[in-house]
Amino acid sequence: MVRHLLSFFPSPYKDELLYSWLARYHRRSGNKSFKQTLVDLYGVETKVPITDLPGNLMDICNRINNIYTSNYLLAKHTLFHYYSPFLPKDRENMLKKTMINSDASGVHMFTGITASGIKYPRFLRYCIKCYQEEVTKYGEAYWHRSHQLSGVFICPFHLQSLNESNIPFKVPMNKQRFYDLNEIEINDKGKAKLLQSSWNHLEFISKQSLTILELEISPLGLEKIRDYYVYKLREKGFVTVSSRIRFRDFLPEFIKYIGSELLSKLDSDIDKNAEDTWIHKLLRKPRVSCHPLRHLLLIRFLDEDIATLNNIKGNHLQYEPFGSPPYPCLNKTANHYLDSVMTRLEITNCYETGKPVGTFTCGCGFVYSRRGPDQLEEDRFKVGRIKNYGELWENKLRELYQKKVPLVKIAEKIGADRSTVSKYIKKLDSGYVPERRNGTNKEKRDLYRVKWIKHKEKNPQYSRTRLRETLSSVYIWLYRNDKYWLFENLPPKKVNKQKAIRVNWKMRDEKLSMLIKEEGERIKGNEDDLVRVTISAIGKQLGILSLLEKQLDVLPKCKEALNEVTETIEEFQIRRIKIKASQMRNLNIEVKEWRIMRYSGLGECLNPDVLNAIDKEINKGIDL
């Protein structure tokens, strides 16, 4: 079959939408009808132009004598590469083949746009400055690809608000026509109203969306992307050592940073108390593709960019808050001091801050820990806390001690403070006090010991505090230089004999039992945050958990109250079922077994009473 070749075809512009390119061809061709233009381009007059992911690219290339390839059209003049980085490889290949070799039916299903809930732009958008510059430079303007992306309200080239035209983004199925930007009225009436507080975020989205198109990134791998996000969240303290994401901490921070109003504008609302939002899907084991805009929102929160994400390709992401092994041994008495010979590292989480804590163990017995993550190279040589000095260190201390080396010199040579050295010396010989730099000797020590003993014997009624105050100079010297002897020659501590305070258990029992009932009912009444009513839940909330665990035998009314309000696992499951079924009915959602089990978080093996509760709720829904 002989194909009809076009005698001319305009050159494309940078970042021009294929739809715009074909619209300019129609204007220049002189064709009186759009159907004739469709015959020129596709060989049929029933083709409906598509703005974002058009099909039959090979047909167009054949009609223009292959001066441009289908891969070129796909990469430079459609939105294909906006979606491709976040698709599985097989789906990207399917999308590519469909756009090149057949019509575009079903392509939006491949990208996951339909399921995402993110709306297309209502109308094609343009930038007035781009328009003015293009008319001056080329004599005509064109529709930009980067202006038509979801979430892009700012021109990435001029950083000013885009204008909405009156041309629908999605061409109606019965409309065989192209709309040329040069033929519409240009004005400021359709300029988007943007929150100034969201401007920086929108500017980021605009620039990064353009970068995705220009980098032409092939699929990164959903697992790889997810691992990268978790890796960066771990650096911010939102991931435990066991790789569990702290969603309760992370979601409020994410919503606060991006802003709930902007999330709503971008069709990406998040309920911080929900457990199955789009961001959960993004960060859990990937089963579905997420819209690129949502990837950009998370990348923004992580203070990264799309170029950095592109660099994960081929790299193995491993959580190394303290850098890569081996690590330097910081045992100053070892021949390998400061050499990177330590390979054993145990990472835990700091209870207070959630930051990683590394415990480093060397073959010489030296064990130390420090809080991470490391920010600078010199952080590798910092010690937070020494857990064990090891036999090599202790042998060196013993050697220096036997040589009568001054205390300060010993501390300097073995890398410890003087109090630590004194403590270990006591283990060797409690009667030995090393000579100090200031000339302190055994005679001075003996003199101060005698003064202290005489003072103590002269004032047997004095307490420790009183003795210290009345002979402070001697006490301070002995404390600094002969602490262990001093403590052995202090009078016994006086026990403060206060009359034991009697607890009115009956009154306490009555008061706490009322609080327990109130708290139990409060927990049951909170339908937004479903928590099982247990002794632990009530005790923690009221700050009396220890009392309920240890003193319940003398609190009979509390015990009775707990028996009334606490729930078994089955009772909690039934309460969840009733609440979730009621919420579904309020939202006019049909109450079905699978929905109840899913929304209530139930497993497969259920108690007969729980199954009966499900049946009742289903039947109740039918009755209504």
Side-chain angles (χ1 to χ4, degrees), residues 82-83 86 116 118-119 149-153 201-202 204-206 209 212 229 254 258 262-263 265-268 278 282 290-300:
Y82 177 67
Y83 299 100
F86 311 104
S116 71
I118 291 181
K119 300 181 183 68
L149 298 172
S150 297
V152 175
F153 298 96
H201 294 318
L202 290 171
F204 173 85
I205 291 171
S206 175
S209 297
I212 297 174
Y229 292 154
F254 178 82
I258 300 297
L262 180 58
L263 287 172
K265 185 176 181 65
L266 301 179
D267 303 311
S268 299
W278 63 263
L282 202 60
C290 284
H291 197 284
L293 174 59
R294 289 176 173 167
H295 285 275
L296 288 177
L297 288 171
L298 182 54
I299 291 169
R300 173 65 170 168

Side-chain angles (χ1 to χ4, degrees), residues 118-294:
I118 291 181
K119 300 181 183 68
Y120 301 98
R122 291 187 307 160
F123 302 99
L124 291 175
R125 297 188 286 241
Y126 62 92
C127 167
I128 288 184
K129 281 196 174 181
C130 286
Y131 180 92
Q132 293 169 342
E133 288 178 1
E134 289 154 12
V135 169
T136 301
K137 186 174 182 180
Y138 307 119
E140 59 182 350
Y142 57 91
W143 299 109
H144 281 262
R145 288 188 304 167
S146 57
H147 293 169
Q148 318 309 326
L149 298 172
S150 297
V152 175
F153 298 96
I154 296 173
C155 173
F157 308 107
H158 297 104
L159 301 181
Q160 70 171 30
S161 296
L162 293 174
N163 289 65
E164 258 189 1
S165 69
N166 59 351
I167 309 303
F169 177 83
K170 292 190 73 175
V171 181
M173 291 302 294
N174 60 344
K175 293 289 184 181
Q176 280 84 24
R177 69 161 296 169
F178 296 96
Y179 292 91
D180 189 345
L181 177 58
N182 299 279
E183 297 175 343
I184 71 169
E185 182 182 355
I186 302 300
N187 55 54
D188 267 340
K189 293 180 181 179
K191 184 163 289 190
K193 295 179 180 179
L194 306 176
L195 292 169
Q196 194 60 39
S197 58
S198 302
W199 186 270
N200 289 338
H201 294 318
L202 290 171
E203 187 177 309
F204 173 85
I205 291 171
S206 175
K207 290 180 178 179
Q208 291 299 301
S209 297
L210 176 64
T211 301
I212 297 174
L213 286 172
E214 292 182 337
L215 286 180
E216 299 178 16
I217 306 168
S218 57
L220 298 169
L222 300 185
E223 289 277 0
K224 204 85 168 177
I225 296 173
R226 186 260 178 191
D227 290 346
Y228 173 77
Y229 292 154
V230 174
Y231 178 81
K232 301 306 294 185
L233 283 172
R234 192 191 301 271
E235 291 182 350
K236 291 181 173 290
F238 293 117
V239 182
T240 66
V241 172
S242 58
S243 295
R244 182 180 63 83
I245 298 172
R246 295 190 175 96
F247 280 105
R248 285 182 180 271
D249 299 327
F250 162 61
L251 287 182
E253 289 297 317
F254 178 82
I255 295 169
K256 180 181 177 182
Y257 180 77
I258 300 297
S260 55
E261 289 186 64
L262 180 58
L263 287 172
S264 179
K265 185 176 181 65
L266 301 179
D267 303 311
S268 299
D269 294 281
I270 297 175
D271 179 356
K272 65 180 179 182
N273 297 314
E275 297 181 358
D276 191 28
T277 67
W278 63 263
I279 206 162
H280 286 83
K281 292 181 174 66
L282 202 60
L283 293 172
R284 287 173 177 164
K285 187 174 181 179
R287 293 183 175 87
V288 294
S289 299
C290 284
H291 197 284
L293 174 59
R294 289 176 173 167

Side-chain angles (χ1 to χ4, degrees), residues 498-515:
Q498 292 183 342
K499 188 177 180 179
I501 301 173
R502 295 183 62 84
V503 176
N504 189 332
W505 289 105
K506 184 177 180 180
M507 185 182 295
R508 178 177 289 190
D509 190 25
E510 290 179 357
K511 183 179 178 181
L512 291 180
S513 63
M514 293 174 62
L515 293 175

